[in-house]
């Protein structure tokens, strides 16, 4: 796999295969229409970079900062993000059959809109105050992730695994949640949302506060 720290080569080229891009300064850079296959981006800074129409197949971003990057229209096949900062990104209009995996990433304030993300992985991520609207998350996993204040609306959550997530809350009346796997904390939040009183969870508890934040969204 070739390694490059040459920004000009990246900007001028149209197609890249099996290359590693290290430490590039991509802030506000236009990358639309390019194709990357089997490539890695390591330690790159791409705040507000623009990726419309980019095809990323079997690629990895590691220790990158893509805060508020513009990814609408990106084609993402087996795309992984590791230890990266992805705050405030609006994930929408991704190519059909998008395949995403996030490991130890910061996705605070991110929005996922009208996407099919079946079997997506959110592992040990920070997803506080993220929005999931009309997203198919069937069989996805949120293992070890923090979801305080996140909103799920119009989503398909069949067999979605929230069992090891913290702060997860969703309204079953607004989502298809059959066979979703949830933690005891989430079960208590759902019960209180339906007007039940759960032993061990007072109105002053942190769990109730989280439920209240979720309902206000």
């Amino acid at each position: 796999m070739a390694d490059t720290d040459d920004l000009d080569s990246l900007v001028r080229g149209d197609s890249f295969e099996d290359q590693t891009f290290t430490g590039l300064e991509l802030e506000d850079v236009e990358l639309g229409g390019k194709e990357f296959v089997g490539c890695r981006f390591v330690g790159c800074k791409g705040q507000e970079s623009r990726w419309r129409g980019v095809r990323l197949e079997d690629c990895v971003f590691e220790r990158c900062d893509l805060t508020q990057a513009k990814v609408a229209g990106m084609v993402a096949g087996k795309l992984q993000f590791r230890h990266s900062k992805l705050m405030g990104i609006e994930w929408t209009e991704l190519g059909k059959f998008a395949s995403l995996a996030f490991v130890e990433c910061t996705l605070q304030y991110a929005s996922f809109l009208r996407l099919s993300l079946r079997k997506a992985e959110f592992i040990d991520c920070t997803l506080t105050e993220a929005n999931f609207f009309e997203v198919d998350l069937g069989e996805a996993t949120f293992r070890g992730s923090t979801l305080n204040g996140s909103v799920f609306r119009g989503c398909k959550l069949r067999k979605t695994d929230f069992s090891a997530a913290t702060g997860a809350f969703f309204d079953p009346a607004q989502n298809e949640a059959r066979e979703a796997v949830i933690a005891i904390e989430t079960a208590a939040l759902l019960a209180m949302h339906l007007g039940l009183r759960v032993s061990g969870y007072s109105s002053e508890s942190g769990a109730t506060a989280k439920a209240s934040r979720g309902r206000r969204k």
Side-chain angles (χ1 to χ4, degrees), residues 151-167:
V151 180
F152 294 83
R153 186 173 300 149
C155 294
K156 296 180 180 179
L157 305 175
R158 186 179 177 87
K159 296 185 179 180
T160 306
D161 188 356
F162 296 100
S163 62
T166 59

Side-chain angles (χ1 to χ4, degrees), residues 88-132:
I89 295 178
E90 184 174 297
W91 303 84
T92 184
E93 299 178 26
L94 299 185
K96 194 173 182 180
F97 306 123
S99 176
L100 299 179
F102 304 91
V103 179
E104 295 187 33
C105 291
T106 300
L107 288 147
Q108 193 171 12
Y109 311 125
S111 293
F112 295 83
L113 311 173
R114 297 179 294 279
L115 297 172
S116 177
L117 294 179
R118 292 184 59 80
K119 299 185 179 181
E121 296 181 348
F122 299 86
I123 309 297
D124 297 326
C125 292
T126 300
L127 285 150
T128 51
E129 299 188 53
N131 293 320
F132 294 84

Side-chain angles (χ1 to χ4, degrees), residues 7 10-14 25-34 36 46-54 70 72:
L7 178 58
L10 176 63
V11 173
R12 290 196 306 268
D14 294 321
E25 300 288 337
L26 301 173
E27 291 93 334
D28 202 33
V29 170
E30 174 62 61
L31 297 165
K34 299 183 186 298
F36 301 89
Q47 299 94 320
E48 299 189 36
S49 51
R50 299 181 295 281
W51 300 77
R52 175 171 285 278
V54 172
K70 314 304 180 187

Side-chain angles (χ1 to χ4, degrees), residues 172-200:
Q174 297 184 5
N175 300 276
E176 298 177 27
R178 185 178 178 84
E179 297 186 78
V181 183
I182 60 176
I184 295 297
E185 177 196 53
T186 300
L189 295 178
L190 294 175
M192 287 187 290
H193 179 70
L194 295 173
L196 302 176
R197 299 179 65 182
V198 181
S199 177

